[in-house]
Amino acid sequence: TEFLLFHVDKLLISYIELTLINKFNTMKTLKFKTNINCGGCVSKVTPFLNKQEGVESWEVDTANPNKILTIESDGATEEDVKSTLQKVGFKAEPVD
């Protein structure tokens, strides 16, 4: 029984590791120059970016002159993000 449990535990750990590795490999960082320039603007886009499928996390550097939005994407594309922001009245241009 202990031998079987050991193998089950190892398989579960291997599955979790593989899942995390695959997730990490599909993650992509997207950066945009935006016109999200204050806390009020961030509050306005928050519910939309938080609901955006494929967006794992995001932040806006409002201190940067280009108001850089950085998104950790797990499937969301540049077009997805641009479209979402346009719906709430903001612009986003991809930057490298």
Side-chain angles (χ1 to χ4, degrees):
T1 307
E2 287 179 26
F3 181 72
L4 180 59
L5 287 175
F6 175 75
H7 280 294
V8 170
D9 287 347
K10 282 195 73 77
L11 285 173
L12 181 58
I13 290 170
S14 295
Y15 174 76
I16 291 169
E17 288 172 344
L18 184 58
T19 301
L20 291 172
I21 289 168
N22 284 340
K23 187 165 187 76
F24 179 76
N25 286 337
T26 61
M27 293 289 283
K28 194 171 170 185
T29 301
L30 306 175
K31 290 189 179 264
F32 301 87
K33 177 181 175 180
T34 71
N35 61 341
I36 302 170
N37 56 22
C38 67
C41 299
V42 172
S43 294
K44 190 171 179 182
V45 301
T46 293
F48 296 92
L49 288 175
N50 285 352
K51 286 191 308 189
Q52 175 74 50
E53 190 172 325
V55 171
E56 288 296 311
S57 64
W58 63 274
E59 67 179 8
V60 181
D61 182 359
T62 56
N64 184 302
N66 290 321
K67 313 304 180 201
I68 299 297
L69 167 64
T70 303
I71 293 188
E72 292 303 323
S73 168
D74 185 23
T77 66
E78 288 179 347
E79 282 305 313
D80 294 335
V81 174
K82 286 175 63 172
S83 175
T84 296
L85 291 177
Q86 283 177 339
K87 289 176 186 173
V88 255
F90 292 94
K91 297 176 185 172
E93 293 301 321
V95 293
D96 295 324

